[in-house]
Amino acid sequence: MPHRKASFLNTRSWGLARPSPLNPAAARAERAWRWPVLIALFATIPAFYIELLENLPTPLAQAIYFAAAAIMCTSLWRVGRHVSHPRQYLRSNGLDLLLVLGLLTAALIAPSAHSNVALAVRLFVSMLTLVRMVWALKSWVTRGGLGYLLSLALLVLGFCGVGFWALEPRAHDLGDGLWLAFTTAATVGYGDIVPTTPAAKIFAVFVVLLGYAVLSLVTAAIAAMWVESSERHMEQDILRDMHAQLRTVHEELAALREELTKK
C-alpha cells in the first residue's frame, strides 16, 4: 500500500487533526506549511486594528485576510492530497474550514469602524485565530521545546508592546508599551499605565488571551522538563537495581555450576 493510502489521523482535538506519522508525505506537508499558516494568522491581528482605526487604509487589511485564507486553503490542499480520504480529512479539520470562511467574510464586509456587526464578526474570527495558533503551538511542549517557547514568548510580548505603544496615548515610548504588555499578559495590573482608548482596550483582550496562552505553554514546558528529569532518574535507579539483581543471579548460577562440577 503506498503512503498516500495510509491513515491520516494522528491527534484530533479542538476540531483539528494532524496526519499520522505512518503517512510521511502528509506529515512532511503539514510540517512544511505549519510556519506559513502561523505567520499568516499572526498577521491578521494587526489587520483587525487596521480595519478598526479609521485613519488607516482598509485595502491592506483586506489583502492580509485574503492572503491568510489562501495560505490556509493551500495548506489543507497540500496535506489532503496525500491522504486516502481527503473529504474526511477536511471534515476532521472543521475549525480550519470555519476559519477560512471567517477570514474571507472579514475581508469582504464593511470596515469595523463603521459597523458594530462587522466588528463582532472580526472579533469572532480573531478568537478562532488565537485558538488555531495555540493548537499549533501545543506540539512544542516537548523535550527540547522550551527554547522555542521562550523565543516565542519574547516575540509575542515585543509585538504586544509595539501594539500598545501605537494604540495607547499614555504609553509614551516603547518601554511603556512593553511594560503594559507584560503586566497585561501576566494579569498583574499594577495600574500605573492602563488602556484608555477603545482600540487599546480591545487589544488588551487579545494580549491577555495570547499572552496567557504563551506563558502557560512556557510554564508547562518547564514542568515537563522537570518531570522528564525525575523520570530519567527513576529509570536510572530501576536499571541500576536490575543490573544488581542480574549480577546476583549470575553469581548464584556460577556458584551452583561450581557445586555441580565438584559433584
Side-chain angles (χ1 to χ4, degrees), residues 231 233-245:
E231 290 178 348
H233 287 304
M234 292 177 60
E235 291 173 357
Q236 292 175 354
D237 292 339
I238 292 172
L239 288 174
R240 193 179 300 110
D241 184 60
M242 290 178 61
H243 290 158
Q245 292 181 14

Side-chain angles (χ1 to χ4, degrees), residues 3 6 13 22 39-40 53-54 58 71 87 92-94 107 111 120 159 164 172 174 183 188 200 232 235 242:
H3 293 311
S13 61
L22 299 176
I39 293 172
L53 300 175
E54 294 183 282
T58 56
I71 290 174
R87 292 184 180 179
S92 298
N93 286 273
F159 172 81
F164 274 127
H172 302 296
L174 180 58
T183 56
V188 176
R232 196 175 300 113
E235 291 173 357
M242 290 178 61

Side-chain angles (χ1 to χ4, degrees), residues 38-62:
L38 279 173
I39 293 172
L41 292 178
F42 194 77
T44 61
I45 297 177
F48 172 84
Y49 287 95
I50 292 174
E51 286 285 354
L52 182 62
L53 300 175
E54 294 183 282
N55 58 335
L56 293 176
T58 56
L60 176 59
Q62 291 175 334

Side-chain angles (χ1 to χ4, degrees), residues 43 90 162 196 202:
L90 292 177
V162 173
T196 56
I202 295 176

Side-chain angles (χ1 to χ4, degrees), residues 146-232:
L146 180 59
Y148 294 105
L149 288 172
L150 287 174
S151 301
L152 178 66
L154 292 176
L155 180 64
V156 169
L157 289 177
F159 172 81
C160 294
V162 173
F164 274 127
W165 183 26
L167 297 172
E168 175 52 47
R170 296 183 62 183
H172 302 296
D173 51 33
L174 180 58
D176 289 340
L178 291 172
W179 174 247
L180 181 56
F182 175 78
T183 56
T184 303
T187 64
V188 176
Y190 288 113
D192 51 346
I193 304 176
V194 296
T196 56
T197 64
K201 291 178 180 178
I202 295 176
F203 188 71
V205 174
F206 291 110
V207 172
V208 170
L209 295 176
L210 185 60
Y212 186 75
V214 172
L215 294 178
S216 297
L217 289 174
V218 172
T219 304
I222 294 174
M225 182 181 65
W226 284 106
V227 170
E228 289 170 359
S229 178
S230 300
E231 290 178 348
R232 196 175 300 113

Side-chain angles (χ1 to χ4, degrees), residues 8-9 12 83-93:
F8 70 84
L9 188 60
R12 182 176 180 178
V83 300
S84 56
H85 302 288
R87 292 184 180 179
Q88 184 180 357
Y89 173 75
L90 292 177
R91 287 196 297 269
S92 298
N93 286 273

